[in-house]
Amino acid sequence: MSSTLVRVTNATDTYVAQDRASTTYYGSDMIETANISGKGRYAYIYFARPFPLGVTVLSAKLRLTQRFAETDTRTATLKRISSTWTNRSITWNNRPGVSESGPVAVTKGTAPQYTVWEFNVQPHMQLIANGTAWYGWRVQIDEADYNQWYSANASVSGRQVKPTLEVTYIEKPSKPTWMSPAAGRITSLAKPVLRFDFTDRQGSTTMRAFQVQMNSTNSFTSPSFDTGEYLADEPQLDLSTTAFAGLADGELIYWRVRVQDDSSLWSDWSDVSTFWRQDKVTVNILNPPGAEVDEPTPPILWEVTGGTQSSWQVLVRNGYGAWIHSSGKRTNSDTSYTIPAGVITQDGVQYIFEVRIWDTYAREATPGDTSYAEAERTTTYTYDPTTDPVTDLVAEVQLPTPVVKLTWERATAPDSFVVRRDGVIIKAVLLPLDALVSGTSYQFIDYEASPGKAQTYSVHAVVNGKTSSPNPEETITPESVGIWLMDPSEDLYVQLLDVDEGSWSMGEDAGMYAPLGASKQVRVTQALRGHEGSLSGIMAENPNNPKSIQEQVEDMYALKSRPGKTYTLALSDMSIPVVIGNVVVAPMPQKERMKRVSFEFWSQKVPFEVEL
């Protein structure tokens, strides 16, 4: 149990005298009491309430310090003041009344100077916490005697002599203000999971129990369902585990909740909230109709029954369950979506298409109940032996670059071609018109072939959504000298010779953290990147490059002038898409036909599947 201790010394105090009935004693360094005929004295003391309303006061002590040594036995009694007063204007004649309920008394015999009188005022403070009006205490002496204590204006070097109020209290939890489902939202479950918040900033901070009430009307005199004190350490209730009868389709329910902390303090009831039950629509995927697709960009078709579609989303997962594509959520009545090129890249591999549909109701997602209806279809990309393949496939390296040109024949133009490298689709929809050379001859140029590495190519014909089989294959090993930085769209090819090893890394956004109480640190990774670093080399006229040194320099400057554009970097046994920066073309003294070039690069593709 966590409690709050408050010690207050900034009191407002004074006293009044019967024999000086119109005199004020504001600013005195003492408060005096007396019970002598004709010379009565009352002390008045007030502290601003040092806690919020509604708390539980565990203890409360008022401490007054003796001003002079006394030898007689005296009893001092505290009574709660019952109306307002100010220490600047209070006199015997206008003194406020007091409550005779629950006086607090302390008796002292011999009392040396600086003796502390401690009054147990917990009952009074609890009344104040409960909302009773608070005006402070009146102090009186019961015997025919008198006594003096130091006031809030007193000061003694090295001693705390001012009146002190010390209170220890705990707060009840805040009433739940966040509830789910609520605000008239919709669920599709007859017995959903109810969730709410538990906040106890200065109390126990740990939930012990809660109580949920539900009813068909906004009256909880006799609720139709009441959990009573439900022991739990998490602020949620799965109604399927209770005796709740469940909601019929279209039924509205009112509910409220309160929470209890480990000090057994209950919060106030939450505001009453409502939710409905409404069945979801049904989604049926029409295409693909079965467990196979015959093209790499299949159309996804679906139908919706039992309601009205307002929004939709199509997602694709691979056989490992990882998301590889999303259409994004779209708000319209469309019932079809074509998977774009580059999503399905391999045959014989499972792909899972999921269609999500949102209807026109304001649904709230709760555990076990999404805000949308869904359907999915697991398929495998396969080929069709009835579709005629291409013929006469030839692969050639376009020296001096590591670029590979594919040429082939087909008697009739298909709807499209599919180009694969090492079993992976690199061009999913190649239109015949874009590939046509003349007559029945076609070509495709692969600008991302990896130099020095054997690669196997195949070209497939697609007719009426079916991919040809069997298909011819060609294996080739592109060779090149140096490294190449290329922008085929602008016909820019820059060759660097005598290349240094540069600096390489595969960037990560990560950090080491030491969890509270853990014996070892953990590494938290937020992002993994591909290759990045810097390279430098020599640009020179050579037998493997027909361009002059000036033409090569102009090409390099053209690449530099397009910051942020993606280029192809081919070196060693790999070819990667990159963006470049900090490009420097420097002259080499006494070597007019040579330039030194350096640049930094950042891969635009991670060479592995990221699983975070």
Side-chain angles (χ1 to χ4, degrees):
M1 178 179 69
S2 175
S3 60
T4 301
L5 171 65
V6 180
R7 186 177 291 108
V8 189
T9 58
N10 57 338
T12 297
D13 58 13
T14 189
Y15 69 97
V16 298
Q18 184 181 16
D19 53 340
R20 294 180 175 85
S22 60
T23 301
T24 63
Y25 292 91
Y26 166 73
S28 173
D29 64 353
M30 70 172 183
I31 50 176
E32 184 176 58
T33 58
N35 191 12
I36 299 173
S37 178
K39 295 183 179 181
R41 303 282 193 274
Y42 290 141
Y44 292 83
I45 184 167
Y46 171 82
F47 293 87
R49 174 168 50 85
F51 44 74
L53 292 176
V55 303
T56 296
V57 179
L58 302 179
S59 68
K61 307 292 184 182
L62 172 65
R63 298 187 178 99
L64 303 179
T65 302
Q66 184 82 27
R67 190 165 182 256
F68 297 115
E70 299 290 348
T71 57
D72 298 331
T73 297
R74 295 167 318 288
T75 299
T77 299
L78 296 183
K79 295 183 178 181
R80 288 184 294 110
I81 301 171
S82 56
S83 61
T84 59
W85 58 280
T86 66
N87 60 351
R88 291 176 178 269
S89 60
I90 187 173
T91 66
W92 183 272
N93 287 337
N94 65 14
R95 67 189 187 277
V98 294
S99 170
E100 297 298 332
S101 173
V104 178
V106 173
T107 300
K108 295 284 186 182
T110 300
Q113 186 182 18
Y114 305 126
T115 294
V116 175
W117 294 60
E118 184 175 275
F119 300 84
N120 179 13
V121 293
Q122 186 275 336
H124 289 179
M125 290 293 95
Q126 188 60 63
L127 288 174
I128 307 312
N130 295 344
T132 299
W134 169 238
Y135 305 106
W137 291 287
R138 189 187 77 179
V139 189
Q140 66 185 53
I141 286 292
D142 295 349
E143 293 82 11
D145 208 335
Y146 68 93
N147 201 71
Q148 292 181 348
W149 294 276
Y150 287 103
S151 76
N153 297 306
S155 177
V156 175
S157 178
R159 289 183 178 273
Q160 166 55 43
V161 296
K162 295 181 179 183
T164 301
L165 176 62
E166 184 178 283
V167 180
T168 301
Y169 67 91
I170 55 175
E171 289 191 63
K172 66 182 180 182
S174 302
K175 76 175 186 179
T177 57
W178 177 84
M179 301 163 64
S180 172
R185 302 291 290 276
I186 307 294
T187 177
S188 68
L189 300 180
K191 298 182 179 183
V193 175
L194 305 181
R195 295 182 295 157
F196 41 90
D197 61 310
F198 172 82
T199 306
D200 198 2
R201 294 184 178 87
Q202 293 183 323
S204 170
T205 71
T206 302
M207 191 177 76
R208 175 183 177 273
F210 59 77
Q211 183 177 5
V212 168
Q213 293 182 339
M214 306 180 75
N215 202 31
S216 58
T217 67
N218 190 13
S219 172
F220 291 89
T221 304
S222 180
S224 59
F225 175 73
D226 190 335
T227 62
E229 184 180 290
Y230 192 99
L231 299 179
D233 56 8
E234 294 185 350
Q236 71 174 33
L237 174 64
D238 186 347
L239 288 172
S240 68
T241 66
T242 70
F244 178 60
L247 298 177
D249 188 30
E251 183 178 357
L252 171 72
I253 195 75
Y254 294 82
W255 73 291
R256 65 177 186 172
V257 61
R258 62 174 183 163
V259 292
Q260 185 187 59
D261 65 16
D262 263 348
S263 300
S264 297
L265 298 179
W266 284 102
S267 72
D268 294 331
W269 284 102
S270 68
D271 294 337
V272 177
S273 196
T274 61
F275 65 91
W276 297 78
R277 178 194 169 189
Q278 187 70 47
D279 289 341
K280 294 179 183 176
V281 298
T282 299
V283 186
N284 181 33
I285 296 178
L286 304 177
N287 191 72
E292 295 182 348
V293 291
D294 299 315
E295 59 180 316
T297 57
I300 309 300
L301 309 177
W302 64 89
E303 64 178 358
V304 176
T305 57
T308 302
Q309 170 184 308
S310 65
S311 302
W312 58 271
Q313 183 179 20
V314 174
L315 301 108
V316 185
R317 301 196 305 272
N318 61 21
Y320 301 103
W323 298 112
I324 58 174
H325 176 70
S326 171
S327 67
K329 186 178 179 181
R330 305 189 182 188
T331 302
N332 56 50
S333 59
D334 291 349
T335 56
S336 66
Y337 174 74
T338 299
I339 303 300
V343 176
I344 296 178
T345 58
Q346 294 176 278
D347 63 294
V349 174
Q350 283 190 335
Y351 293 91
I352 303 168
F353 304 113
E354 180 179 327
V355 177
R356 296 178 177 179
I357 300 297
W358 287 262
D359 59 21
T360 55
Y361 291 101
R363 296 186 180 275
E364 180 170 348
T366 60
D369 185 29
T370 61
S371 60
Y372 52 82
E374 61 186 324
E376 66 177 42
R377 181 66 46 80
T378 300
T379 64
T380 303
Y381 177 37
T382 60
Y383 300 145
D384 176 47
T386 65
T387 300
D388 292 335
V390 304
T391 60
D392 302 320
L393 177 65
V394 176
E396 298 176 293
V397 179
Q398 303 298 287
L399 295 175
T401 71
V403 170
V404 173
K405 181 175 75 172
L406 303 177
T407 59
W408 65 91
E409 299 285 330
R410 195 172 192 276
T412 58
D415 297 332
S416 64
F417 294 106
V418 175
V419 181
R420 299 200 317 171
R421 183 201 316 122
D422 292 336
V424 178
I425 296 174
I426 60 173
K427 184 66 175 179
V429 181
L430 177 61
L431 298 178
L433 186 60
D434 295 333
L436 182 64
V437 177
S438 64
T440 60
S441 299
Y442 302 88
Q443 76 173 24
F444 172 79
I445 298 179
D446 180 14
Y447 296 98
E448 296 185 1
S450 297
K453 181 180 179 182
Q455 289 146 100
T456 300
Y457 290 88
S458 62
V459 177
H460 312 235
V462 179
V463 179
N464 295 328
K466 298 182 181 297
T467 304
S468 64
S469 176
N471 301 283
E473 294 183 345
E474 277 285 299
T475 299
I476 191 172
T477 302
E479 299 291 346
S480 65
V481 177
I483 71 170
W484 290 84
L485 190 62
M486 302 177 287
D487 181 7
S489 65
E490 299 292 336
D491 195 30
L492 298 173
Y493 301 87
V494 173
Q495 180 189 34
L496 297 183
L497 306 173
D498 192 24
V499 180
D500 67 11
E501 295 183 358
S503 65
W504 292 73
S505 66
M506 297 182 73
E508 297 182 9
D509 291 332
M512 297 298 298
Y513 298 91
L516 184 63
S519 59
K520 60 182 180 180
Q521 291 185 319
V522 297
R523 183 170 178 83
V524 177
T525 302
Q526 294 182 319
L528 298 174
R529 299 190 294 276
H531 294 99
E532 53 193 50
S534 62
L535 285 170
S536 65
I538 302 300
M539 183 186 295
E541 294 181 2
N542 67 89
N544 296 310
N545 193 333
K547 290 190 176 182
S548 68
I549 187 64
Q550 185 59 39
E551 290 173 326
Q552 295 179 55
V553 169
E554 290 175 358
D555 285 350
M556 193 70 230
Y557 282 146
L559 295 176
K560 178 181 174 67
S561 69
R562 299 169 173 82
K565 187 174 183 180
T566 300
Y567 303 131
T568 299
L569 176 63
L571 74 170
S572 184
D573 62 347
M574 67 180 185
S575 181
I576 55 177
V578 299
V579 294
I580 63 173
N582 298 319
V583 177
V584 177
V585 179
M588 299 183 67
Q590 300 179 355
K591 296 180 180 180
E592 296 180 358
R593 297 186 180 185
M594 300 176 68
K595 303 288 184 181
R596 179 165 293 280
V597 177
S598 64
F599 60 91
E600 295 180 16
F601 65 92
W602 297 268
S603 174
Q604 299 302 287
K605 182 178 180 181
V606 179
F608 53 88
E609 186 171 286
V610 179
E611 296 183 7
L612 295 177

